[in-house]
Amino acid sequence: MNKLILAMAMLLPFVVSTANAAPAKAPLCAACHGAEGKAMIPGYPHLAGQNEQYLISSLKAYKDKQRNGGQAAIMQAQAAALSDAEIAELAAYFSKM
């Protein structure tokens, strides 16, 4: 029993680190919105800490070309390349920052 507890305790850091791992498409977002989700370019929104459902609905609106203005053309092209699963992964990741 003690060996099982010890083995589980040794795996905990790995589980925690992979749970917070960046999705594969996160570097695309970082180019404009910052590596930590905090944009360094004026006019670009911070993604870190945003509401997860808001991020999902925003990306889907860009993907469906229902959201315009500002950098819409750039965001529409970026969002068009994302699957619904990737959108959900990115939203979850940035909302937890």
Side-chain angles (χ1 to χ4, degrees):
M1 178 83 166
N2 288 338
K3 289 182 182 181
L4 177 62
I5 293 171
L6 179 61
M8 290 173 59
M10 291 174 66
L11 287 175
L12 185 60
F14 174 75
V15 171
V16 171
S17 69
T18 56
N20 295 329
K25 300 277 178 117
L28 297 174
C29 304
C32 296
H33 298 282
E36 300 296 321
K38 295 183 179 175
M40 297 180 67
I41 302 169
Y44 285 71
H46 297 306
L47 300 181
Q50 288 283 353
N51 179 279
E52 184 174 351
Q53 193 55 47
Y54 170 76
L55 292 171
I56 290 171
S57 64
S58 294
L59 283 169
K60 286 185 176 186
Y62 280 121
K63 185 175 182 173
D64 296 337
K65 296 185 179 183
Q66 296 175 343
R67 192 162 178 181
N68 300 302
Q71 304 298 326
I74 294 169
M75 284 303 302
Q76 288 171 355
Q78 293 294 332
L82 299 173
S83 68
D84 287 346
E86 289 168 329
I87 288 173
E89 286 177 344
L90 289 167
Y93 174 70
F94 285 108
S95 70
K96 291 180 176 94
M97 290 183 131

